[in-house]
Structures are given as structure tokens and as C-alpha cells.
Amino acid sequence: MQSVPSQAIRPLSHNASLSSSRLPFFSFSLPIFHKFKINPSIYNKSQKVPLFLTLRCCSSGSVTAKHSSELRRNRDVQEPDEKVVALRRLFSKPGIGIDAYIIPSQDAHQSEFIAECYMRRAYISGFTGSAGTAVVTKDKAALWTDGRYFLQAEKQLSSSWILMRAGSLGVPTTSEWLNDVLSPGGRVGIDPFLFSHDAAKELKEAISKKNLELVFLYDLNLVDEIWKESRPKPPNNPIRVHDMKYAGLDVASKLSSLRAELVGTGASAIVISMLDEVAWLLNLRGSDVPHSPVMYAYLIVEVDGAKLFVDNSKVTKEVMDHLKNASVELRPYDSILSEIKRLAAQGAQLWLDTSSVNAAIVETYKSALDKYCSNHGSKGKIKNKRYDESNGLSEGPSGVYMRSPISLAKALKNPAELEGMQNCHLRDAAALAQFWCWLEEEIHNNVELIEVDIADKLLEFRAKKEGFLDTSFDTISGSGANGAIIHYRAERGSCSVVDPNKLFLLDSGAQYIDGTTDITRTVHFGEPTAREKECFTRVLKGHIALDQAVFPENTPGFVLDGFARSSLWKIGLDYRHGTGHGVGAALNVHEGPQSISYRYGNTTPLQKGMIVSNEPGYYEDHAFGIRIENLLHVQEINTPNRYGGIEYLGFEKLTFFPIQVCY
């Protein structure tokens, strides 16, 4: 399954303030925070990724995009959208006073998959894809999404919405569009909990060019105000302990390594908001988010303690004992800002990864720290060390603004995690073998099956396997033209019958107690056309080329992306998504920091222990889709030579299920 492609749609970005002149060159030297030097150039302005789009407008004047009503043959008249109308009524309320409101896909933790109660963008727009940003002004409504979801958005958006095909030539970024449609002096509202600090900062700078003001609405979310009683309740599922035989490293060891990092950077505490980082660090798992074994929580780790901010009703006695053994205290989930203020009032140097920590937390810390510095006669600055290197004098607390070290530590799987991933893939392959035998027999017996039936039956086979917990994402079961919708979701009542004379794409995965799987196969139950055979063969060639790649250490994933595309490029074809994403061990099916993508902004090198997907594809709109995906483990390759005295790396397959051969 393809993850969010980049910062193109998600409201995350590199912080422009973290330039090479300010970021110290440091390395992770402890057991789990591995010896990987972070090059300051990663944070350089010249490599900053645009906030919402990968391509900027090429025209010099106003920019336009097709209204979704132009893309729907049976819609001639624009229909009023009651939800959008209700949202606009709130714009002029006292204490709000805005001209536009931005609704991102994320929750307060910048999660890709979120609980139903936080699916605000889906509620307001009707578009259910996992990536997208909605913007509502007083007279317009627009939705941005990337190439994986263009066809889905065409189907789901009403004629009241403008579909913005992010990454397409001539399509404006969100900020460009706002600058174009709002008058100077206009006010743009956001919920600061739903934007990373970097994203909010970049947005503020971009719209200020037209003298627009970014307004943080801390106390209410406007979509929640109109959702009211029909809004689902927040999840309240019990947390469980992730067994040591699967985790491979105890919590005390992980916290000890992290605290050594705190001391090395001059920080007194780190604020962790990414849900998978909290779960990994504390060896806990939850079920608050569909398909992801995580729980809604924040974690603050100090040099001499740790506090977990979570709904106490989710904490079982076993979990309570587990946390006490690691000296982790419990605090209410909603008290995170109060704790941030308390720490700042004591002059605490907080480590904040501003690419993931939300703007509400960062701005609360900065504001409280300004008060502390004012009261104590010191002047805080945004920097990465305690001291002003120009004169060696302490300038007081200022905050440490750097990437979280947990992301990389989590990505480098230990032996127990790798063993769990291998074992669960074997069980998953057995379920897939049983499923495909069943499906082929049903098709050959002329049994009529719809796409949802296929997904349900696959779940039935997987659920019988030891350690099965959930799917790792919504199964993509697409026959014929539906396979061309990269993240298609079949729904009963509207999905298609599986046509044995058309290509069938099935992208699925599972969460097991010991690991996470993700696999895509494209098959034909009859005789494919010459065009389908050629496209399938070229996708397969690209898949094999990446699978067999050998490369020097410190090679970033974007260097390998062309291996998977080369065969398609030779006849002028390509696909609109990355080639590979990181995968968690009994955690999120999409994780960073590594990826294999044509987007060169991610310079994270592939390293031993990382797991990535290998999933090239090709899609002909309204005709067919092809994707072939395995998961790979990065390992050292014993080459006959070691030019430059460095290691060479390659891949070991984790996926054990065969690929159909086309003759």
C-alpha cells in the first residue's frame, strides 16, 4: 500500500529556521540510537519541501482548476452543501472572525490513519481518502489530494467542491489559492492542534505575501461545532503490553538511551507526540486507530522521569504495573498544555520535533518561555544548544528544535522484531495461498463475486491465523477500471462485480501480534490483452530490478527509485506514487524516516535493519491498474570488493507469496 507521498498533502514540512548554521552535527552513539550522522543540510532552506503541493504554479497570473462538477457527467447544477453552509455561518461569530478555514486530514498527532471522531475533512467534504486538505471560504470550497486519489475524489465530491489535483501542472498550492481568492487583510483560521508547527509557520509565511493573517483557534474546532451529537465518541479501548519476545528491548533500556541523547543536546525533556513513537518507546500497543496498534497519548521524557498523557480508563492493571516498573507516571490526556506551561515556567529546555509536534504545543511552550525569560531577565533564542557560541555566555532556556531521534531508532529493527516480521509473513502467506485457491476456484465455477466479497473472504482466512489482530489498512480490491484508483475502497452497494476478463488488483495487509504485513498482487483469470501483458511485464521488471539492487551504505532511497521505473520509462510510462515506504514491526504499516521515492527531499539513507516496501505500478485511468508489492529487509551484502572500505547493502524478501506469470 502506498503511503502519503511526501509533505505534499500532509501539513508537515521542514522548519526553515533549522538551517545548517544552527543545527549541530551530531550522531546517535548509544545501542538503539544508532551511529547515523544527521547532515545539517537536510534542514537547509534550499531543500525545504512545499507545504501542500510538490509542484508549484507555472503561470504568472491567476491559477484555476477544474470544478468537480465539470468532472461528473450527470451533474449540471451546483448543489448547495448544507455542511459547508453551516460552517460558513460560524466565520462571523464573535471570537472567530475569519474569511477562510482549513481542514486537514490529521489528528493532533499528525497520524495518517485516525479515529473516526477525528475524520473532520472526510465529514465536511465527503471525500474519504486518507490524504487531502479541504479549504472553505465564504463563497468557495476546494479540496487538494494527490494522484493516488484523483479518481476517487471525482466520484465522492459534490458539485459544490473544486477538486485540486495536487502535483499537476497549473494547480495552485493551498496558500497560492488563498492568496488569489481572498482580499488583502483576510483572516485564515486553523485548529493549531491539527497542524505541525512547521506547517503552520510555512502557511503563515506564504499567505502573509498577500497580507493575509493566520488565526489560531485554540478553543474550538469549527467542524466539531457543526458535527455536534452525531460525531462519534473518542475511542476508549484498553491498552496492552507488547511482549518482550516481540519487542526485543525493554523500556528501561530505551529510555536510558533516549536520556543520554537529551543530555548530549542540552535538553531537559523531550515531547513525543507521534503515536507509533510513544507505543514503540514504552512497549505498549493499543487499538484506538483503525489498522494501527496505537493509542492516543503524548509522552514527555525528562532526564529523571517520564509522564504519559492518556485517558486513564484505557490503562489496565497490567499496563499500570508495566509503567510503574519503568518509572512512568500517568497524567490526563487533555492536560498536556498545562504540563508544557509548567515546564516552561521552570525554564525547562524542551526538545521539540517541530515537523511533527503540533503548533498548539510549540506555541504554548514559546509563549510560556517568553514569560519565564522576561521574569528572569534572560533572553531565549531558537537554537540547538544552551550557549551562544559567539560569546560562550548562557542566554537562558530557548528550546531544542530537532528531529526526534526515536523515528530512526524505531526504523532499525532489532533481531526480535525481525524474527517477528518473518514469522508473521509466513503465516500471512499461508492465509493468502488458501484465499487465492478459493478465489480461483470460485471464478472458474462462474460464481459472481463483488469486490467487497473478496476483501471479506480474505479477512476470514487471515483471521484464522495465530496472532491475527486486524487488517493493516482497508483492503484495496479493484476489478478492471477500479484497479486504476490507486487507493480504491470497495463499498457494498456501489462496488463492481469481479470480471474474470479484466485485471484484478488486490492490495492488503494484516496486523499480527508479532509483526505487520503489506502485499499487492495483480492477476488475470482469463487472457490479458497484449497491452496489459506489456505493462504488467514492465512493472514486474522494475520490481525485480529493485529487489536485486546492491548499493553502497549511506545511499538514500530516492537514488534507487529509478531502478523500479526504468522499464516503464523506456516506453514513456510512469506511476504517480512513490516506490517504497517504511513499515513498522507490529506497528504502523507506513513509517519513516526512510522511503524509496522520486521525491529527492528525503535524504535518509537506507540502513541495515530497515524494512521497506517494493511496489512499482502502472495505471490507465478508467481501464486497469497494476501493482506488485513485497516487503524487503535491508541487509549487508557480502560483495567480493569493498571500494572505499565501505559496506554494500541489498534486500532480503519478507513476503513469501508468488507472483502470477503472464505468458
Side-chain angles (χ1 to χ4, degrees), residues 89-100:
R89 289 197 195 105
L90 299 176
F91 286 9
S92 57
K93 291 252 181 180
I96 299 176
I98 58 175
D99 301 287

Side-chain angles (χ1 to χ4, degrees), residues 632-661:
L632 307 173
H633 159 226
V634 182
Q635 63 176 2
E636 183 179 354
I637 300 298
N638 186 21
T639 55
N641 304 290
R642 292 204 172 189
Y643 183 79
I646 62 174
E647 291 183 347
Y648 282 76
L649 305 175
F651 299 112
E652 177 186 17
K653 281 183 284 295
L654 290 172
T655 306
F656 293 99
F657 192 77
I659 298 168
Q660 186 182 40
V661 178

Side-chain angles (χ1 to χ4, degrees), residues 51-72:
L51 176 60
F52 291 101
L53 298 178
T54 54
L55 295 178
R56 300 187 67 84
C57 173
C58 299
S59 61
S60 56
S62 297
V63 285
T64 59
K66 280 190 176 182
H67 204 286
S68 62
S69 59
E70 296 179 45
L71 305 168
R72 305 176 68 136

Side-chain angles (χ1 to χ4, degrees), residues 58-169:
C58 299
S59 61
S60 56
S62 297
V63 285
T64 59
K66 280 190 176 182
H67 204 286
S68 62
S69 59
E70 296 179 45
L71 305 168
R72 305 176 68 136
R73 296 177 184 175
N74 2 359
R75 299 235 186 214
D76 300 322
V77 182
Q78 182 170 323
E79 301 173 348
D81 189 314
E82 293 181 2
K83 294 175 185 175
V84 173
V85 171
L87 185 71
R88 287 173 176 146
R89 289 197 195 105
L90 299 176
F91 286 9
S92 57
K93 291 252 181 180
I96 299 176
I98 58 175
D99 301 287
Y101 191 63
I102 302 177
I103 307 104
S105 299
Q106 284 68 45
D107 54 25
H109 304 267
Q110 304 303 303
S111 308
E112 178 185 5
F113 299 129
I114 59 178
E116 190 178 1
C117 62
Y118 300 129
M119 295 180 180
R120 300 176 174 103
R121 190 225 63 229
Y123 171 78
I124 196 68
S125 70
F127 168 65
T128 60
S130 65
T133 299
V135 182
V136 177
T137 69
K138 291 179 177 178
D139 59 356
K140 294 179 175 64
L143 180 128
W144 280 255
T145 192
D146 65 73
R148 299 168 301 161
Y149 295 103
F150 290 166
L151 296 180
Q152 180 179 343
E154 286 178 19
K155 290 183 175 182
Q156 292 183 329
L157 290 177
S158 76
S159 59
S160 297
W161 288 84
I162 303 168
L163 172 58
M164 297 292 191
R165 292 179 171 79
S168 300
L169 291 174

